[in-house]
Amino acid sequence: GVDSAELTNDSRTALSEAASKLADKTTVHLYVEGHADSAGETEYNMTLGEKRAKAVSTYLEKLGVGGDRLHIVSYGEEVPIAQGETKSAMAANRRVDFKLMRGDIELVLEDSAPIQ
């Protein structure tokens, strides 16, 4: 939902696949970036983005990825991937992205669902 940091079943499946590839790659560190749509106040969206990134990070930790390798960042509403305020654009902007901080890994999650 709009105000949610709950992981969907699709997200859990995608994260399980990622965790299986990341667990033994101890030199790989990732930025876990939380995002929100443009509804609501800027400060609220920064907090929501952080909650979303923490939910993903916590789930990956439970699956064996060391928490010291996951670095949480929140961008709130500041970095949308879809422009406009249609339902689909707003939903696409409620997401968590990964960026490589250091290490070497090829990890592609195809058709992964954003956190809703």
Side-chain angles (χ1 to χ4, degrees), residues 6-16 59 113-116:
E6 294 291 319
L7 297 173
T8 64
N9 287 334
D10 286 344
S11 295
R12 283 189 188 94
T13 299
L15 290 172
S16 293
Y59 194 73
I115 294 178
Q116 302 279 329

Side-chain angles (χ1 to χ4, degrees), residues 26-79:
T26 57
T27 60
V28 172
H29 287 241
L30 297 173
Y31 289 113
V32 183
E33 301 176 344
H35 299 270
D37 63 28
S38 59
E41 298 294 321
T42 301
E43 185 175 327
Y44 174 81
N45 287 334
M46 288 297 285
T47 301
L48 186 54
E50 182 175 354
K51 286 180 183 177
R52 288 177 173 153
K54 280 185 180 176
V56 167
S57 180
T58 298
Y59 194 73
L60 287 172
E61 286 181 60
K62 287 180 185 177
L63 296 173
V65 180
D68 60 330
R69 297 166 43 208
L70 303 170
H71 307 273
I72 292 170
V73 181
S74 177
Y75 287 104
E77 64 190 67
E78 301 301 315
V79 188

